């Protein structure tokens, strides 16, 4: 038997119902991943301070020969500062992508509360260490690279753990909508991180990292004391993970499932009313076992290209607006946040539609298909006036980030509780880590490819993004066909039932 993780008795008395625990889980996991993104954002804000325009600050007070970069922070004061900033970004992204593939394996074998809290405390430590380089007057590149690598590795504890916790508490019925709203933590964290880092970037940029480090550490400690991993730990009934979705309406899926109750809501009623019997704790799923779950490979590869597009916009959109629309740096930065606003709306819309139709893959595919021509239009007419630019940014943000948000949240939770696992809940973290880890490869590739292609013209960058969207859509073709078959079979049986 898996011994339940002890929960403070004061919390149990204050939260007597499962609805209260679900609300607490949503709030704590939301705050957790908000703080993860809050701690990632300072590097993009501080870059401008590590290599500023020294001539705008007046004459060199030190009267040395290096008058053009006297105010820059070594080693970022050379002509190769862009390459060094790229090295910092890639150090984090590559470490994050590699670490994500093994993070879920640890997450399934360790208590999620301990794993998440420990990762947040370590992330706070490495975030603060980067800022302490300012106070310790460190000017060697390897220090900042090592800190970024370590931070990228420990930040992989976050996503598998929070998705697993939410998936443990929420069933399949409204998971898409709930997680679509919940997934706004990414944009909220980015916005708060920008504001907090900007408060000290000009006076003491080290605090732009130290303060977010303290915040994520504090939230991690709060999660350690109050986060409840499983409903069973506080004598609540687990949610219904298997409802009659499109893929399960497929006659082949019905035939392959020997338990008819798994396709109906009666299973949750029977489960909640029946006495709990002791059962052996199932073993955590292996990496290869997770890959064999139907849909994991397809959605992982789809996310690789979807995240490639999303992160290219994240890193390059402000510069594109400056170069093409000729806005100032601040105006371009403010305007680029509309892409995140569209992403929030797209995630909620994708979750709502996929809940209503039961077709996660179809929802993603339709949005990706529409996104391709919208990206083309944005590149050609998106800068013809501020109104057009605002509208196109919101639309493109919704279409690009909608599928990305749906796959990393509801789809990951669905596959981590797939009916083929026969009730084994020890797969959520591993499946989530595989899917997001594969997507993180695209997150590292996108900005890199954009940097290599952009000298040949922005049109070529957008052609690359459109091609990535099309590939992401094609990779879901098999799952979409299965969902379409399920719909056709379901409608045929429904018509036959009515006639009878």
């Amino acid at each position: 038997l898996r011994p339940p993780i002890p929960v403070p008795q004061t919390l149990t008395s204050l939260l007597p119902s499962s609805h209260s625990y679900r609300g607490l889980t949503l709030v704590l996991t939301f705050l957790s991943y908000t703080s993860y993104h809050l701690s990632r954002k300072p590097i993009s804000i501080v870059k401008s301070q590590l290599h500023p325009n020294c001539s705008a600050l007046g004459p060199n007070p030190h009267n040395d020969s290096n008058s053009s970069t006297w105010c820059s922070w070594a080693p970022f004061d050379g002509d190769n500062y862009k390459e060094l900033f790229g090295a910092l970004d890639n150090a984090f992204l590559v470490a994050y992508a590699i670490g994500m593939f093994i993070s879920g394996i640890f997450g399934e074998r360790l208590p999620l509360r301990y794993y998440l809290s420990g990762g947040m405390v370590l992330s706070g430590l490495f975030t603060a260490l980067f800022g302490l380089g300012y106070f310790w007057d460190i000017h060697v590149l390897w220090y900042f690279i090592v800190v970024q690598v370590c931070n990228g590795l420990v930040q992989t504890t976050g996503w598998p753990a929070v998705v697993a916790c939410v998936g443990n508490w929420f069933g399949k019925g409204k998971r898409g909508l709930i997680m679509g709203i919940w997934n706004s933590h990414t944009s909220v964290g980015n916005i708060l991180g920008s504001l907090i880092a900007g408060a000290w970037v000009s006076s003491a940029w080290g605090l732009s990292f130290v303060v977010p480090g303290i915040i994520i550490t504090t939230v991690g400690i709060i999660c350690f004391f109050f986060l409840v991993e499983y409903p069973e730990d506080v004598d609540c009934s687990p949610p219904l993970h298997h409802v009659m979705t499109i893929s399960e309406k497929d006659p082949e899926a019905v035939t392959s499932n020997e338990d008819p109750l798994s396709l109906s809501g009666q299973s949750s009623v029977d489960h909640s009313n029946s006495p709990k019997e002791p059962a052996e704790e199932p073993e955590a799923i292996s990496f290869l076992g997770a890959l064999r779950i139907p849909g994991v490979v397809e959605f992982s590869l789809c996310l690789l290209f979807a995240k490639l597009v999303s992160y290219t916009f994240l890193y390059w959109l402000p510069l594109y607006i400056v170069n093409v629309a000729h806005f100032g740096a601040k105006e371009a930065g403010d305007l680029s946040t509309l892409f995140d606003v569209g992403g929030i709306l797209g995630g909620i819309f994708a979750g709502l539609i996929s809940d209503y139709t039961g077709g996660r893959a179809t929802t993603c595919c339709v949005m990706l298909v529409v996104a391709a021509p919208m990206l083309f239009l944005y590149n050609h007419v998106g800068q013809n006036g501020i109104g057009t630019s605002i509208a196109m940014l919101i639309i493109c943000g919704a279409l690009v980030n909608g599928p990305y948000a749906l796959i990393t949240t509801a789809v990951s939770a669905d596959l981590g509780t797939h009916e083929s696992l026969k009730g084994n809940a020890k797969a959520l973290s591993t499946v989530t880590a595989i899917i997001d880890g594969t997507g993180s490869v695209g997150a590292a590739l996108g900005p890199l490819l954009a940097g290599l292609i952009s000298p040949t013209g922005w049109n070529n960058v957008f052609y690359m993004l459109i091609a990535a969207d099309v590939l992401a859509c094609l990779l879901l073709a098999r799952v979409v066909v299965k969902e379409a078959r399920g719909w056709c079979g379901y409608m045929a049986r429904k018509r036959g039932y009515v006639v009878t």
Side-chain angles (χ1 to χ4, degrees), residues 7-32:
V7 180
Q9 292 298 317
T10 54
L11 181 62
T12 305
S13 61
L14 291 174
L15 298 168
S17 68
S18 62
H19 295 292
S20 300
Y21 282 114
R22 288 191 179 97
L24 177 67
T25 301
L26 278 181
V27 170
L28 288 179
T29 53
F30 183 93
L31 292 176
S32 296

Side-chain angles (χ1 to χ4, degrees), residues 289-354:
L291 287 177
R292 285 194 288 267
I293 297 174
V296 168
V297 173
E298 289 90 340
F299 278 108
S300 297
L301 294 176
C302 173
L303 184 63
L304 187 152
F305 291 102
K307 208 167 181 179
L308 182 152
V309 178
S310 179
Y311 269 66
T312 301
F313 272 95
L314 176 66
Y315 282 94
W316 287 90
L317 181 57
L319 182 60
Y320 170 78
I321 294 174
V322 169
N323 291 344
V324 177
H326 306 294
F327 283 103
K330 184 182 184 304
E331 291 80 4
D334 293 341
L335 198 60
S336 67
T337 59
L338 293 172
F339 190 83
D340 282 328
V341 173
I344 295 174
L345 299 176
I348 296 172
F349 178 77
L352 181 64
I353 295 300
S354 67

Side-chain angles (χ1 to χ4, degrees), residues 148-163:
Q148 282 288 85
V149 170
C150 293
N151 202 9
L153 290 174
V154 298
Q155 287 245 337
T156 61
T157 59
W159 192 240
V162 295
V163 172

Side-chain angles (χ1 to χ4, degrees), residues 163-344:
V163 172
C165 286
V166 174
N168 289 336
W169 277 97
F170 290 89
K172 218 170 183 180
K174 295 183 179 179
R175 182 180 281 165
L177 175 60
I178 292 171
M179 285 191 158
I181 298 172
W182 172 78
N183 192 58
S184 62
H185 50 49
T186 299
S187 297
V188 173
N190 288 339
I191 293 169
L192 291 177
S194 299
L195 294 175
I196 293 172
W200 289 283
V201 66
S202 300
S203 55
W205 63 258
L207 291 175
S208 297
F209 292 90
V210 173
V211 173
I214 294 173
I215 292 174
I216 188 173
T217 300
T218 303
V219 177
I221 294 172
I222 293 173
C223 286
F224 177 80
F225 285 106
F226 296 106
L227 183 65
V228 182
E229 301 173 26
Y230 298 95
E232 298 89 335
D233 291 342
V234 286
D235 297 324
C236 293
S237 298
L240 175 64
H241 288 300
H242 305 304
V243 297
M244 198 167 184
T245 59
I246 286 180
S247 61
E248 292 163 346
K249 292 169 188 172
D250 190 341
E252 296 177 3
V254 175
T255 304
S256 63
N257 196 334
E258 296 178 357
D259 183 6
L261 290 180
S262 64
L263 299 179
S264 69
Q266 297 174 358
S267 60
S268 64
V269 177
D270 295 341
H271 185 279
S272 60
N273 292 335
S274 61
K276 297 182 180 179
E277 297 181 358
E280 292 186 1
E281 174 71 4
E283 293 184 0
I285 195 170
S286 65
F287 186 88
L288 293 177
L291 287 177
R292 285 194 288 267
I293 297 174
V296 168
V297 173
E298 289 90 340
F299 278 108
S300 297
L301 294 176
C302 173
L303 184 63
L304 187 152
F305 291 102
K307 208 167 181 179
L308 182 152
V309 178
S310 179
Y311 269 66
T312 301
F313 272 95
L314 176 66
Y315 282 94
W316 287 90
L317 181 57
L319 182 60
Y320 170 78
I321 294 174
V322 169
N323 291 344
V324 177
H326 306 294
F327 283 103
K330 184 182 184 304
E331 291 80 4
D334 293 341
L335 198 60
S336 67
T337 59
L338 293 172
F339 190 83
D340 282 328
V341 173
I344 295 174

Side-chain angles (χ1 to χ4, degrees), residues 26-212:
L26 278 181
V27 170
L28 288 179
T29 53
F30 183 93
L31 292 176
S32 296
Y33 215 68
T34 295
S35 64
Y36 271 102
H37 267 265
L38 183 150
S39 65
R40 295 178 194 176
K41 191 63 177 178
I43 184 64
S44 64
I45 305 299
V46 172
K47 282 177 183 177
S48 61
Q49 190 64 25
L50 295 178
H51 191 97
N53 181 10
C54 297
S55 60
L57 301 178
N60 180 5
H62 305 295
N63 295 321
D64 55 26
S65 58
N66 191 11
S67 58
S68 62
T69 59
W70 61 267
C71 65
S72 298
W73 187 271
F76 307 103
D77 56 347
D79 294 334
N80 64 337
Y81 70 97
K82 289 184 179 179
E83 288 80 1
L84 298 185
F85 287 154
L88 289 180
D89 293 336
N90 280 290
F92 178 90
L93 291 171
V94 172
Y96 185 88
I98 295 173
M100 187 60 76
F101 287 106
I102 60 175
S103 176
I105 298 175
F106 287 109
E108 302 292 5
R109 289 157 176 80
L110 297 173
L112 284 175
R113 183 155 58 92
Y114 297 165
Y115 189 57
L116 177 63
S117 302
M120 294 177 74
V121 171
L122 287 175
S123 182
L125 171 64
F126 289 116
T127 301
L129 281 175
F130 195 104
L132 288 173
Y134 170 83
F135 299 101
W136 294 342
D137 202 28
I138 295 176
H139 297 277
V140 289
L141 180 64
W142 67 263
Y143 173 83
F144 298 104
I145 293 290
V146 169
V147 169
Q148 282 288 85
V149 170
C150 293
N151 202 9
L153 290 174
V154 298
Q155 287 245 337
T156 61
T157 59
W159 192 240
V162 295
V163 172
C165 286
V166 174
N168 289 336
W169 277 97
F170 290 89
K172 218 170 183 180
K174 295 183 179 179
R175 182 180 281 165
L177 175 60
I178 292 171
M179 285 191 158
I181 298 172
W182 172 78
N183 192 58
S184 62
H185 50 49
T186 299
S187 297
V188 173
N190 288 339
I191 293 169
L192 291 177
S194 299
L195 294 175
I196 293 172
W200 289 283
V201 66
S202 300
S203 55
W205 63 258
L207 291 175
S208 297
F209 292 90
V210 173
V211 173

